[in-house]
Amino acid sequence: MRGIISGDKFKTLLKDGMSIMVGGFLTNGTPEGLIDLVVEANIKDLTIICNDGGYPDKGVGKLVVNKQVKKLIASHIGTNPMVGTLMSEGKLEVELSPQGTLAERIRAYGAGLGGVLTPTGLDTLVQEGKEIITIKDKKYILEEALGADLALVGGAIADNYGNLKYNKTMRNFNPIIATACELVVCEPRKIIDEINPENVITPHPFVDYLLVGEYND
Amino acid sequence: MTDKEIIASRIALELNDGDLVNLGIGIPTLVANYVPKEKTVTFQAENGIIGLGGYVEGENEIVNAGGMGASILEGGAFIDTITSFTFIRGGHIAVTVLGALEVDQEGSLASWIIPGKKVPGMGGAMDLVTGAKKVIIATRHTNRGVPKILKKCRLPLTAAHQVNLIVTEMAVMKVEEDGLHLLEIHPSYTLDEIVKATEAELIINDVLPMKGVNL
């Protein structure tokens, strides 16, 4: 870990056109303070990668409503009507990826792999334009690995070293995106002295910065 | 019993002691209410729970796969999305129960998109239908009189040839190599009414009254 970071310093790391992975499942475990800072910075043309489109007033939905998103890669967009509206107006590109596939594509990138072979999506719209590979008489879709410039990690309890464990169901995509981005910023719910090494889920070398200030408990 | 209760209580009979089960949103969720006391069934929520408990009003640290406040049972585990879909895709889920827009006699399912109208996305449904050992569809037999059980799905598929059993308020149907077998019918309906409400060709041999239904 490089250290702790203020909201103002975090905003200086943001640029137009960035790709950003955001943790959380229907905003459970999404770092709302970091999202608000991205809204304040008002950077544009973002590619957002998240399980879902959040809600209009919560999670990555706030970035969509503020027209900062050029492309959204997600498994589900039904909870944020704005995503559908902007998509049908041609103002937002949406790539739907099955949830398990999305997670594995991110994991693969973080693990230095080029992609994954999955049977999910065979004979559906999901396989369009993708290579089909047969192994031991079974067909699989080749799904490419997915990385990003910035990960926004939430739902965590951090220690002074930058190790993370996660609160209840807030774990979801958070430990996965922490492996797959150039820069990883976590907005912990709280910071404690040390997490028992047996309980660390995301070890500190994956984490660049912890956001501190009014954002934590 | 309401239509939803009929469907949910009948599907509960398909669950076996020791099964790990994933229930979709809507009617499938109700199945948990009808598991017989003598059976131990563990529920998974794909957002990251093994040992999902019931709804908890106002809870926001533990949510279920619909984003609603939920609980975790004793002996349960919180897991990340990779582990969750290792369970799902890796064949470690005994049964998944999901809803449908359309389902057909070849066992194909459409449930995630109505092009030009509604595009909610597939979420975890494609992985569940592909990876679970047994796929049960919980659906009303028709959508306001229009058949949902078809010869071939017309909407884009969630998965092809993965559905094992279809349970509606009218009937229980099983997908086999040779087609869709009508196994049970609800006593409130005649065979003729069921055939008329079904577009799929039903293979009809020995038809029983629907199990687990209190009239």
Side-chain angles (χ1 to χ4, degrees):
Chain A
M1 186 177 74
R2 297 191 215 178
I4 58 170
I5 195 172
S6 67
D8 284 338
K9 175 76 192 301
F10 170 70
K11 285 197 270 186
T12 67
L13 302 173
L14 302 173
K15 295 187 196 76
D16 287 343
M18 280 184 118
S19 53
I20 307 178
M21 287 186 182
V22 181
F25 180 100
L26 290 172
T27 73
N28 175 244
T30 296
E32 298 290 345
L34 285 169
I35 303 260
D36 288 342
L37 290 164
V38 178
V39 170
E40 281 173 33
N42 205 23
I43 49 170
K44 302 287 188 190
D45 297 327
L46 302 177
T47 295
I48 298 294
I49 300 150
C50 186
N51 174 64
D52 52 78
Y55 302 94
D57 60 346
K58 238 179 148 194
V60 299
K62 292 185 282 198
L63 303 172
V64 173
V65 169
N66 199 36
K67 311 270 173 76
Q68 293 174 263
V69 184
K70 187 176 74 178
K71 181 175 182 181
L72 175 65
I73 304 175
S75 76
H76 195 271
I77 55 172
T79 52
N80 186 348
M82 197 67 178
V83 174
T85 303
L86 291 174
M87 183 172 68
S88 53
E89 288 172 0
K91 290 174 183 161
L92 173 65
E93 185 189 343
V94 174
E95 177 185 334
L96 286 166
S97 190
Q99 200 174 131
T101 300
L102 182 61
E104 284 295 340
R105 290 171 68 193
I106 298 168
R107 190 196 66 83
Y109 188 92
L113 307 176
V116 291
L117 299 178
T118 177
T120 302
L122 280 172
D123 302 316
T124 75
L125 294 178
V126 168
Q127 78 169 38
E128 278 182 14
K130 294 172 189 165
E131 198 176 335
I132 307 297
I133 292 175
T134 303
I135 293 178
K136 291 182 180 164
D137 297 329
K138 282 184 76 181
K139 283 183 183 175
Y140 299 90
I141 301 176
L142 172 60
E143 292 274 8
E144 285 182 15
L146 189 59
D149 298 323
L150 174 65
L152 304 182
V153 172
I157 291 137
D159 70 12
N160 287 327
Y161 304 88
N163 294 309
L164 307 177
K165 63 177 183 175
Y166 296 90
N167 188 46
K168 299 175 183 175
T169 50
M170 296 178 176
R171 193 179 309 185
N172 53 63
F173 277 78
N174 280 304
I176 309 160
I177 65 169
T179 67
C181 298
E182 279 296 306
L183 191 68
V184 176
V185 182
C186 173
E187 174 191 339
R189 295 166 63 81
K190 63 179 172 188
I191 301 177
I192 61 176
D193 285 342
E194 189 190 357
I195 298 171
N196 180 334
E198 289 185 341
N199 297 336
V200 171
I201 303 294
T202 299
H204 67 76
F206 282 133
V207 180
D208 291 298
Y209 293 110
L210 297 180
L211 178 74
V212 293
E214 60 193 289
Y215 314 99
N216 316 125
D217 289 347
Chain B
M1 290 175 105
T2 66
D3 288 356
K4 288 179 181 180
E5 288 166 350
I6 292 167
I7 296 166
S9 64
R10 176 59 189 88
I11 289 173
L13 298 178
E14 296 296 315
L15 307 183
N16 294 312
D17 196 42
D19 279 353
L20 178 61
V21 175
N22 185 301
L23 302 176
I25 315 279
I27 301 174
T29 306
L30 302 176
V31 172
N33 301 339
Y34 295 93
V35 179
K37 292 244 182 324
E38 67 275 15
K39 287 184 189 171
T40 302
V41 173
T42 301
F43 292 102
Q44 186 227 23
E46 65 264 29
N47 58 306
I49 306 177
I50 299 294
L52 174 70
Y55 287 113
V56 178
E57 187 74 32
E59 169 63 48
N60 58 18
E61 293 182 43
I62 303 175
V63 302
N64 63 20
M68 310 286 286
S71 57
I72 187 164
L73 301 179
E74 212 171 293
F78 293 119
I79 55 178
D80 65 27
T81 309
I82 289 292
T83 311
S84 188
F85 282 83
T86 294
F87 275 106
I88 289 169
R89 218 189 301 92
H92 310 285
I93 301 279
V95 180
T96 187
V97 183
L98 296 169
L101 293 166
E102 296 173 348
V103 57
D104 71 28
Q105 65 194 40
E106 298 172 356
S108 297
L109 170 71
S111 64
W112 69 282
I113 181 173
I114 304 174
K117 277 191 185 161
K118 209 172 177 201
V119 190
M122 68 292 279
M126 281 192 181
D127 296 285
L128 278 162
V129 179
T130 304
K133 285 199 190 121
K134 185 171 182 179
V135 177
I136 302 177
I137 298 305
T139 178
R140 284 174 195 277
H141 206 92
T142 67
N143 179 15
R144 297 188 189 93
V146 180
K148 293 180 78 169
I149 300 154
L150 309 178
K151 287 187 168 64
K152 209 166 177 62
C153 287
R154 292 182 270 272
L155 291 170
L157 296 184
T158 306
H161 313 302
Q162 297 287 346
V163 173
N164 302 107
L165 197 72
I166 305 166
V167 178
T168 74
E169 75 282 14
M170 298 177 101
V172 178
M173 292 147 284
K174 190 176 186 189
V175 182
E176 303 267 19
E177 285 286 314
D178 61 343
L180 189 61
H181 290 249
L182 180 65
L183 300 185
E184 298 170 23
I185 64 175
H186 190 281
S188 303
Y189 304 94
T190 65
L191 187 58
D192 191 44
E193 283 173 321
I194 289 164
V195 170
K196 274 187 183 143
T198 312
E199 184 200 280
E201 282 172 38
L202 294 170
I203 298 170
I204 302 167
N205 293 316
D206 298 321
V207 179
L208 300 169
M210 197 187 281
K211 286 181 243 169
V213 174
N214 303 319
L215 290 174

